[in-house]
Amino acid sequence: MTTVIDGCAVATVDAAGTEYSRGHVVVSDGVIVAVGSGPAPAIAGADRVDAAGCLATPGLVNTHHHLYQWATRAVSVDDGLFTWLTTLYPIWAGITEATVGAAARAGLARLALTGCTTSTDHHYVFPAAGGDVLGATIAAAAEVGLRFHPTRGSMDLSEKDGGLPPDSVVQPLEEILAAVDAAVAQWHDPSPGAMVRIAAAPCSPFSVTRDLMRESAAQARQLGIRLHTHLAETHDEDEYCRDKFGMTPVEYLADVDWLGPDVWLAHGVHLSDADVATVAGAGTGVAHCPSSNARLGSGIAPVAALVAAGGPLGLGVDGAASQENGGLSDELRQALFAARLRYGPSGLTARDTLRIATIGGARCLGRADEIGSLEVGKRADLALWRVDGPFHSDIVDPVDALVYASPPPLARLYVEGREIVRDDRLQTLDVEAAGRALRSAAQALAAR
């Protein structure tokens, strides 16, 4: 099927930053076949969308999330990361396949309704009696219709061995490696246009062993998958690494062979200038999560330095237990403002922010040749934002309207050329039913 999107402003986010004040995008069989200025060509039998008053952008890419946490929002709301985690770990020990499925459907629906076409998920809690919790997230993504990069996360360092999580939520090293092998065999699709790809994701320096980090890196490279972990999120983590390993978090990464273009890191709040140069120089990506970092009081990541260094930099929502909003379009404004709090008004521009949220995220996931910009030959993942309404039409520049103002209404969202959202309504899932199922799952988890 061919879809012609006509009459809209277009921000392609290509390498040249090409934009059209009035242009078109043509999609056929899930691929962009034309992008340009002026009216679209006449194509017999095409589905024609009058997009006057809209801004077309690449679909947003969410580079860090914990979907299961949608079942535990607004817990430990006034605590920093370590206290927040130790409060929630015992609750998370009770999650099941049903809990995670309900949370993932609601969380992914929220992402779709805020312009996200590709999301990752860092799932690292695998209770022995929980069932197939990773499979539950993958099934939910298929229902909603998003492109999905779930990670098979892990923890093997419990409290008794000097880590942060309790014994009930950690697993032995060999069990983790076998589970990663199985997840890749069952779900990972390396082909062009793949809707599901798996990564390996040991959780954090304070919840996994050095052996797990090294073995995971070797395994991932043998399997041809990417690596993800939390790093440099808080001062507590920095102190932990110095006390435990005698080195900084980035030095620890280098020690366990975790610096490279197949790695992306969550947060990177407390990276020094030398750290930024090391990480970017290795081609290692960073997922910037401004709302979660603010909610937990962790700090403001050095995004301007990361942009200047040229390494992959994406945007992340993070788990809804530390960022109860859960929407990705809101993070554009949050990222811009947080950067300016740290660097001043020149710290980040609206177009910098849109680039981070699109092609930057695609680079983190190793898919910049397929998604993240509106270019001929790329997958047809795109958002149409309505910027002609009462709260946006007075802003002359449509990209400024998207980033500086409140998130505009979403006229259309396409993933692989399939319409997922129309006029702020999800076309693939009953959102009200998903909300009811989530509420029941959250209540059951809290009552256990």
Side-chain angles (χ1 to χ4, degrees), residues 185-390:
Q186 184 171 359
W187 290 302
H188 183 68
D189 181 1
S191 65
M195 293 298 290
V196 179
R197 288 188 183 164
I198 301 291
C203 184
S204 60
F206 47 83
S207 61
V208 305
T209 62
R210 192 190 298 257
D211 285 346
L212 176 56
M213 291 293 283
R214 284 183 171 147
E215 292 290 333
S216 293
Q219 179 189 41
R221 286 163 184 149
Q222 183 179 22
L223 293 170
I225 62 173
R226 299 182 76 76
L227 289 159
H228 184 52
T229 193
H230 296 94
L231 197 86
E233 185 174 358
T234 65
H235 287 300
D236 289 340
E237 180 191 322
D238 185 78
E239 292 172 7
Y240 180 92
C241 287
R242 291 176 188 274
D243 291 344
K244 180 82 172 177
F245 309 119
M247 56 187 74
T248 67
V250 171
E251 289 169 342
Y252 175 64
L253 277 191
D255 184 66
V256 294
D257 201 21
W258 264 70
L259 286 174
D262 55 351
V263 178
W264 86 102
L265 311 169
H267 302 297
V269 173
H270 298 286
L271 296 175
S272 67
D273 289 344
D275 291 336
V276 168
T278 298
V279 169
T284 296
V286 175
H288 175 41
C289 305
S291 288
S292 176
N293 296 155
R295 199 293 216 166
L296 290 169
S298 301
I300 301 171
V303 289
L306 287 162
V307 168
L313 176 63
L315 198 59
V317 169
D318 204 2
S322 68
Q323 200 276 63
E324 282 72 10
N325 180 306
L328 191 53
S329 56
D330 305 82
E331 293 302 298
L332 294 167
R333 188 171 187 260
Q334 188 80 343
L336 178 74
F337 287 1
R340 291 186 174 192
L341 283 172
R342 177 164 180 161
Y343 293 102
S346 62
L348 214 60
T349 70
R351 283 166 176 79
D352 290 335
T353 309
L354 180 59
R355 179 167 291 275
I356 291 167
T358 53
I359 193 65
R363 291 180 68 199
C364 285
L365 300 182
R367 300 195 73 168
D369 60 336
E370 293 186 281
I371 61 173
S373 62
L374 301 181
E375 299 182 77
V376 172
K378 286 201 169 185
R379 316 311 299 189
D381 293 6
L382 63 101
L384 272 180
W385 309 93
R386 184 156 293 287
V387 290
D388 61 349

Side-chain angles (χ1 to χ4, degrees), residues 358-431:
T358 53
I359 193 65
R363 291 180 68 199
C364 285
L365 300 182
R367 300 195 73 168
D369 60 336
E370 293 186 281
I371 61 173
S373 62
L374 301 181
E375 299 182 77
V376 172
K378 286 201 169 185
R379 316 311 299 189
D381 293 6
L382 63 101
L384 272 180
W385 309 93
R386 184 156 293 287
V387 290
D388 61 349
F391 305 117
H392 299 87
S393 60
D394 58 307
I395 300 176
V396 174
D397 185 322
V399 175
D400 285 347
L402 171 63
V403 177
Y404 282 96
S406 58
L410 192 58
R412 297 284 194 283
L413 187 76
Y414 297 92
V415 181
E416 194 73 2
R418 179 190 180 197
E419 185 181 277
I420 303 300
V421 174
R422 176 182 290 197
D423 296 331
D424 278 335
R425 295 187 65 86
L426 194 63
Q427 304 297 293
T428 54
L429 192 73
D430 183 334
V431 175

